[in-house]
Amino acid sequence: MTYPARPYAGSLWRMIHPARQRAVYSGEGARLYGGRWNMKGWPALYLAVDHVTAVAEYYQGLPKPGMLVPYRIEAQAITDLTDGRGSRVDDRVAGALAADWKRIAALDGQVPPSWALAQEMIATGVKGALVPSAQNRGGTAVILWRWREVNRPGEGAVLAVLDSANTLAGSGLA
């Protein structure tokens, strides 16, 4: 099945570790370690449509310090893999969410279904996807594979950190 891309604009949220406050646009952790929607070596930015989902996705049941950062996004090519209410759009997406991607990649040496789906979308020029949250039932996460900071050259979804008080060093607004 082909998933259509469409423009997407709105507010997003992301939890970051306090030590990463100078890197609010970085997808380095995802590039170094991989994630459900990106294999190791691919940069990706994991965000959420609401702050509750951002917190749940960040903590994943493990206590650790974190900072909630608000963003604004404007993108031309985002695929929606949800049904509009935070649930999966079809059985293929449900399978990608249910699969133990870490085991499949690390122990089995195979490509998890979520990575295969992401590769297909990236190949069509999609910059990111709305996906059902794996940590907050009914929540929607946003995965970006191509993005750039507002007022910076480059391709991909345009992100701006909403930080009018300039509290985040290196947010592009300080």
Side-chain angles (χ1 to χ4, degrees):
M1 174 178 193
T2 302
Y3 299 97
R6 63 178 173 83
Y8 181 81
S11 297
L12 298 175
W13 298 89
R14 180 179 181 216
M15 287 288 290
I16 62 171
H17 191 278
R20 303 290 299 161
Q21 74 176 6
R22 294 184 188 277
V24 295
Y25 295 103
S26 172
E28 186 65 4
R31 186 188 69 76
L32 289 173
Y33 305 108
R36 179 178 302 279
W37 296 98
N38 74 294
M39 68 173 49
K40 190 175 178 179
W42 293 4
L45 206 60
Y46 285 74
L47 305 108
V49 170
D50 64 273
H51 67 282
V52 173
T53 300
V55 172
E57 289 286 336
Y58 177 77
Y59 286 120
Q60 297 188 22
L62 303 171
K64 54 187 167 184
M67 297 172 54
L68 189 59
V69 180
Y71 293 79
R72 173 87 183 144
I73 184 173
E74 290 186 23
Q76 294 304 311
I78 300 291
T79 296
D80 189 350
L81 298 180
T82 74
D83 65 357
R85 295 181 307 276
S87 293
R88 83 270 191 274
V89 72
D90 64 19
D91 289 340
R92 184 171 183 208
V93 175
L97 287 167
D100 184 351
W101 68 270
K102 290 179 184 177
R103 181 193 53 77
I104 293 169
L107 300 179
D108 299 347
Q110 302 293 315
V111 174
S114 55
W115 290 3
L117 184 53
Q119 287 174 323
E120 289 174 25
M121 289 185 289
I122 292 167
T124 67
V126 169
K127 307 307 181 203
L130 281 80
V131 299
S133 171
Q135 301 296 323
N136 181 33
R137 187 177 177 96
T140 300
V142 178
I143 315 309
L144 296 178
W145 300 294
R146 296 278 187 263
W147 69 95
R148 66 181 175 87
E149 185 178 344
V150 68
N151 298 324
R152 299 278 175 130
E155 66 170 78
V158 179
L159 282 179
V161 171
L162 304 178
D163 185 19
S164 60
N166 294 324
T167 54
L168 292 172
S171 67
L173 304 172

